Amino acid sequence: MPGFLMRACLLLAVEAGAAFLLRDSAAPWIPVLLGVFVLGSAVPHGTPAEFAGRFLVAVLAVGAALAGAAAWAGYAGQDTGPAPWAARGATAVLLLFQTAVLLRLSRRRT
């Protein structure tokens, strides 16, 4: 279980950093999202995860970073419409699904 916690905390820290960088519209989004994707696919290292598992974790990490950036922009804009709530909900769902996938990959034995 400590390996799972380390993987989850590392991925959450990277996603939060990416969301912080992407909250500005002039941010260089390609290198940020590429870095999140590469680190997201490397996080399951030491588990029996194959290509599909690593790709799923990486895509969820990129989605969580983008949704987190949209939710962060919604906090700054004082918008009370449905768009910020949708971004917050999408962030929560993506993070929950990503945590479940990481837990499954960390507990699976070869």
Side-chain angles (χ1 to χ4, degrees), residues 4-45:
F4 161 71
L5 292 176
M6 183 191 67
R7 288 180 184 101
C9 288
L10 178 67
L11 203 51
L12 285 174
V14 167
E15 291 165 350
F20 180 75
L21 290 173
L22 292 174
R23 74 185 196 287
D24 183 21
S25 62
W29 59 274
I30 292 176
V32 172
L33 293 181
L34 184 61
V36 170
F37 187 85
V38 168
L39 190 78
S41 65
V43 163
H45 182 70

Side-chain angles (χ1 to χ4, degrees), residues 1 17 41 49 51:
M1 192 59 97
S41 65
F51 174 76

Side-chain angles (χ1 to χ4, degrees), residues 74-104:
Y75 280 120
Q78 303 299 330
D79 187 13
T80 58
W85 287 102
R88 292 176 197 148
T91 304
V93 168
L94 286 169
L95 290 176
L96 182 67
F97 191 64
Q98 172 185 305
T99 304
V101 169
L102 271 177
L103 181 63
R104 181 173 170 91

